[in-house]
Each structure stands twice: as structure tokens, then as C-alpha cells.
């Protein structure tokens, strides 16, 4: 069941510019963590929350520096 999303993700990485592809790759663990909290009932620890803030902040700063 996870073959199709990974296949589509690989195709998207080939099509997208390098900066966009790397930003998406960095955000992937954040989205997986948030989905597990929202849909699977996982508990978000303070360390995970701080990590999410740091990752999202760094992607935001990188996207602003590319412009």
C-alpha cells in the first residue's frame, strides 16, 4: 500500500527544482509526526515539538533566502 506514494514521491523529486525537493524531503518527518499525532493518537513530546518548530523554521528561512 505504500509503494504508490513512494513511486509518486520519487517522480516528483525528479521533476521539482532542487531547492523545492530538498525542502519537501526535510518536511517529510514533520508531516509523518503530525499525522501520527492526529490520526493514530500518538503523544507529542516536548522534544518532538521543539524539533518540529526548528525544522519548519529552518525551511522557512531557507525559502526566504532563495528569493
Amino acid at each position: 500500500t505504500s509503494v504508490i506514494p513512494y513511486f509518486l514521491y520519487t517522480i516528483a523529486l525528479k521533476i521539482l527544482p532542487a531547492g523545492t525537493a530538498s525542502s519537501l524531503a526535510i518536511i517529510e518527518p514533520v508531516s509523518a509526526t503530525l499525522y501520527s499525532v492526529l490520526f493514530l493518537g500518538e503523544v507529542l513530546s516536548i522534544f518532538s515539538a521543539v524539533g518540529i518548530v526548528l525544522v519548519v523554521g529552518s525551511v522557512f528561512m531557507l525559502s526566504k533566502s532563495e528569493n
Side-chain angles (χ1 to χ4, degrees), residues 15-58:
I15 295 171
L16 294 172
T20 304
S22 65
S23 295
L24 286 175
I26 292 170
I27 290 292
E28 186 179 0
V30 171
S31 63
T33 302
L34 293 177
Y35 285 139
S36 69
V37 169
L38 292 174
F39 299 115
L40 300 176
E42 294 286 328
V43 177
L44 185 66
S45 71
I46 187 70
F47 296 112
S48 296
V50 169
I52 288 172
V53 169
L54 290 173
V55 168
V56 171
S58 65

